[in-house]
Amino acid sequence: MKGGKSSGGTRKADTKLAVKKTQAKGKAVKDPNKPKRPASAFFLFMEEFRKQFKEENPGNKSVAA
């Protein structure tokens, strides 16, 4: 009787593993024509700030410094 119970338990485990494997492989394909997301407020601010900073500090090449 022990042999019958253990073989049934491995079948359940095998089916669970098989389901996980198929889900991992079923990844959605990216659409190359999808438009990009708009820039966040921080990036819009930094775009303007970089221009001002370069005009005020022409010798400094890095905004972070």
Side-chain angles (χ1 to χ4, degrees), residues 29-37:
V29 179
K30 292 185 179 180
D31 183 15
N33 297 326
K34 182 180 175 182
K36 293 184 179 182
R37 293 172 59 185

Side-chain angles (χ1 to χ4, degrees), residues 40-54 62-64:
S40 67
F42 176 73
F43 285 107
L44 294 174
F45 163 75
M46 285 303 292
E47 184 178 351
E48 294 177 17
F49 181 76
R50 279 190 197 97
K51 290 177 187 175
Q52 288 178 343
F53 187 81
K54 286 184 180 183
S62 175
V63 176

Side-chain angles (χ1 to χ4, degrees), residues 2 10 12 17 23 26 37 44 50 60:
K2 284 187 178 179
T10 56
K12 288 181 182 178
L17 291 174
Q23 288 177 352
R37 293 172 59 185
L44 294 174
R50 279 190 197 97
N60 193 354

